[in-house]
C-alpha cells in the first residue's frame, strides 16, 4: 500500500483510491452522494483532505453490514463541522443501526427457511405462498408476485376474502 508523507495534507483521487481500496469511480459516486468532499485545483482536479480516508473507511464498513448510503449520509451529516468519525461515533451509530440490521436478519432467515417451499410451488402469488405473499395480502390490490416486507408497525391482517379455486398447489 502506498504511503503518503505526513506533510501532504491533500490527496489526489488516485492516492485516495490506492490508500482506501475504493475504486476511483466509487469515490466519485460517494462524492456525488455527499459522503465525502473535495476541492478543485485551478486545473479542475479533485483534492481530498486526509480525513477523507477515515470517512471512506466508515462508509465502506457501514455498507458491508448493509446500511443504505442515504442512512450513512445522514449519520455523517450529524457530525459537527463534517469532522471525521471517531470510534465513539461508530459505536453510537452502530447501536442505532442494530435494530434495522436485526429486522433484515429476520427477513433473510425467513427467506432461507421458506425458500424450498417457494421453489416447489413456483407461482409466487398464491394465497399459501408464505414467502412472497403471506396471507395473500397483495391479492386484494394487484396480481403478480411481490415480496412482502415485514414491518413491526404493520402487523395487522387484511379482511378475509372468499377463497377461489387454484390450479396449482
Amino acid at each position: 500500500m502506498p504511503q503518503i508523507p505526513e506533510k501532504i495534507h491533500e490527496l489526489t483521487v488516485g492516492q485516495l483510491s490506492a490508500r482506501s481500496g475504493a475504486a476511483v469511480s466509487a469515490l466519485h459516486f460517494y462524492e456525488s452522494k455527499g459522503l465525502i468532499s473535495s476541492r478543485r485545483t485551478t486545473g479542475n482536479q479533485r483534492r481530498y483532505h486526509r480525513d477523507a480516508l477515515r470517512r471512506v473507511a466508515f462508509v465502506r464498513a457501514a455498507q458491508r453490514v448493509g446500511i443504505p448510503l442515504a442512512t450513512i449520509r445522514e449519520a455523517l451529516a450529524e457530525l459537527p463541522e463534517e469532522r471525521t468519525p471517531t470510534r465513539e461515533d461508530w459505536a453510537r451509530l452502530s447501536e442505532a443501526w442494530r435494530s434495522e440490521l436485526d429486522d433484515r436478519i429476520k427477513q433473510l432467515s425467513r427467506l432461507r427457511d421458506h425458500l424450498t417451499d417457494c421453489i416447489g410451488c413456483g407461482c409466487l402469488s398464491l394465497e399459501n405462498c408464505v414467502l412472497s405473499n403471506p396471507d395473500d395480502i397483495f391479492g386484494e390490490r394487484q396480481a403478480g408476485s411481490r415480496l412482502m416486507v415485514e414491518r413491526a408497525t404493520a402487523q395487522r391482517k387484511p379482511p378475509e376474502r372468499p377463497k377461489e379455486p387454484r390450479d396449482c398447489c
Side-chain angles (χ1 to χ4, degrees), residues 67-80:
I67 304 301
L69 286 178
T71 304
I72 297 168
R73 182 180 55 244
E74 290 168 8
L76 288 171
E78 290 177 11
L79 299 176

Side-chain angles (χ1 to χ4, degrees), residues 8-166:
I8 296 177
H9 298 289
E10 290 186 320
L11 308 172
T12 66
V13 70
Q15 289 171 321
L16 182 58
S17 173
R19 285 294 308 274
S20 67
V24 170
S25 59
L27 297 173
H28 290 170
F29 181 73
Y30 292 164
E31 189 171 356
S32 73
K33 297 299 180 185
L35 300 166
I36 60 175
S37 61
S38 67
R39 73 170 186 86
R40 296 293 184 136
T41 66
T42 54
N44 203 29
Q45 296 174 332
R46 289 178 168 93
R47 292 293 185 263
Y48 297 91
H49 195 269
R50 287 179 71 99
D51 67 356
L53 281 168
R54 184 176 297 260
R55 289 177 76 89
V56 170
F58 180 92
V59 169
R60 294 186 69 182
Q63 279 187 295
R64 268 195 270 346
V65 296
I67 304 301
L69 286 178
T71 304
I72 297 168
R73 182 180 55 244
E74 290 168 8
L76 288 171
E78 290 177 11
L79 299 176
E81 298 175 14
E82 296 187 5
R83 70 169 165 74
T84 302
T86 63
R87 182 182 305 261
E88 292 78 22
D89 293 326
W90 179 259
R92 178 179 48 81
L93 292 168
S94 63
E95 183 61 36
W97 294 334
R98 183 175 297 278
S99 66
E100 181 181 334
L101 292 173
D102 287 342
D103 289 345
R104 206 169 299 146
I105 289 167
K106 181 179 170 186
Q107 286 177 328
L108 287 170
S109 295
R110 183 171 163 260
L111 175 65
R112 179 202 60 219
D113 295 345
H114 294 290
L115 189 58
T116 303
D117 296 339
C118 183
I119 291 172
C121 168
C123 69
L124 294 177
S125 64
L126 290 178
E127 183 175 323
N128 63 355
C129 186
V130 296
L131 184 63
S132 68
N133 198 4
D135 300 320
D136 199 24
I137 291 170
F138 289 112
E140 292 285 327
R141 295 183 228 151
Q142 59 196 28
S145 63
R146 304 289 182 272
L147 183 60
M148 174 67 180
V149 178
E150 287 187 77
R151 295 232 158 70
T153 58
Q155 290 291 347
R156 63 189 194 301
K157 281 193 168 190
E160 276 295 315
R161 67 179 191 146
K163 307 281 186 217
E164 298 175 12
R166 304 269 184 231

